[in-house]
Amino acid sequence: MKKKTNKLKHKAGAFLAGALLFTGILFAAANPEGTFDAIKHTTSKISYYVNGKDYSTADGSFGKQGTAASDPKIPTGSNDVPARMVSDPVNQPVYWGQASRKESLGHPVVKLYNAAGESVGSATLEQINDGVRVKITASGLTPGKHGFHVHEHAIQGGDFKSAGGHFNPTDKHHGLENPQGSHVGDMPNLVVGAESTAEAEMIIQHGTLEKDQPNSVLGRSLIIHAGEDDGVTDPSGNSGDRVAGGNIP
């Protein structure tokens, strides 16, 4: 079974490369007088993940295929040919983060940045029975406990305030310890070690990765706060400023 799974992952990677290249050719076709330049223009850096594993390289090419990724706005829905080319043969969803330029097959991946726009880590999301499992790795944060939540909107222009409040589709109070809580977006504190690094696994209770559901976290954001979440105080547990975050594709 494991051998079969590995074959599916390689097949998925090959289909993803082909789909992205196919899309670039379509865009190039719209400019017949400068086809070569158009194809060259459509190749740029993109992050490419399969079930949370990063298959991209520093120069933007595919580590396994050596094929540069294409630039157009793809894929965003089940009717998109490139998305079907990738997801149908392996029966896994494709997630596209337009702003962060990342392609995720199987599990969405969230790139995390600080207020200066510097990368501080990433998180991988996975659907489980009654929630979403979040696996996060981060660095460059202040040692100690930090509030960590799903916020209702995607971050716009690097401004963490644009993410709005906690994701709260059931109109509850804040806090995993609040008897009248909690928000769907509430999670345990992220604990950062003495070396300013953190590695954790936690659950977004009652959340889902299914599209068009009221409790879906797709298209929202993950936010890390400066201080500890006290688990009970509205609206955010007195966890302080927003110091890092990233958009869920």
Side-chain angles (χ1 to χ4, degrees), residues 126-154:
E126 180 182 0
Q127 185 71 54
I128 57 174
N129 289 337
D130 189 22
V132 175
R133 179 183 290 115
V134 180
K135 295 181 179 179
I136 178 174
T137 301
S139 61
L141 301 173
T142 304
K145 295 181 179 180
H146 295 260
F148 182 43
H149 316 109
V150 178
H151 283 244
E152 58 185 339
H153 304 303

Side-chain angles (χ1 to χ4, degrees), residues 138-143 192-198:
S139 61
L141 301 173
T142 304
V192 178
E195 297 182 354
S196 300
T197 61

